[in-house]
């Protein structure tokens, strides 16, 4: 696991537990924002393992350009 000592990236995320009585799943949602509020990347996935689902959300954010948004926000 990597620890970030200082982060200026505007990010948000949460996990919701879904229990239908037969099985439990987890919905993970994360958003990355640009310095301009008009641009955001929003990813939401549901899976049976909270950790794996969260990692999949992180990878999907990265594929959609969240790293570039963070770099642009840090230099703004």
């Amino acid at each position: 696991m990597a620890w970030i000592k200082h982060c200026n990236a505007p990010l948000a995320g949460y996990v919701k537990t879904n229990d239908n009585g037969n099985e439990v799943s987890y919905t993970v949602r994360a958003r990355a924002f640009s310095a301009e509020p008009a641009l955001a990347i929003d990813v939401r996935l549901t899976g049976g393992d909270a950790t794996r689902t969260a990692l999949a959300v992180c990878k999907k954010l990265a594929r959609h350009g969240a790293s570039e948004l963070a770099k642009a926000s840090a230099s703004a």
Side-chain angles (χ1 to χ4, degrees):
M1 174 183 285
W3 292 97
I4 299 172
K5 293 182 181 181
H6 190 301
C7 181
N8 292 323
L11 299 169
Y14 73 88
V15 176
K16 178 183 173 194
T17 303
N18 310 301
D19 185 352
N20 67 9
N22 295 322
E23 62 184 16
V24 175
S25 65
Y26 303 91
T27 300
V28 179
R29 182 178 184 191
R31 296 183 84 187
F33 303 90
S34 67
E36 300 174 18
L39 182 58
I41 300 169
D42 189 359
V43 176
R44 187 181 319 191
L45 296 173
T46 299
D49 181 289
T51 301
R52 287 182 181 174
T53 305
L55 289 172
V57 165
C58 291
K59 289 176 183 178
K60 195 167 184 179
L61 272 177
R63 281 194 309 269
H64 288 290
S67 297
E68 288 75 17
L69 287 183
K71 289 175 189 172
S73 294
S75 64

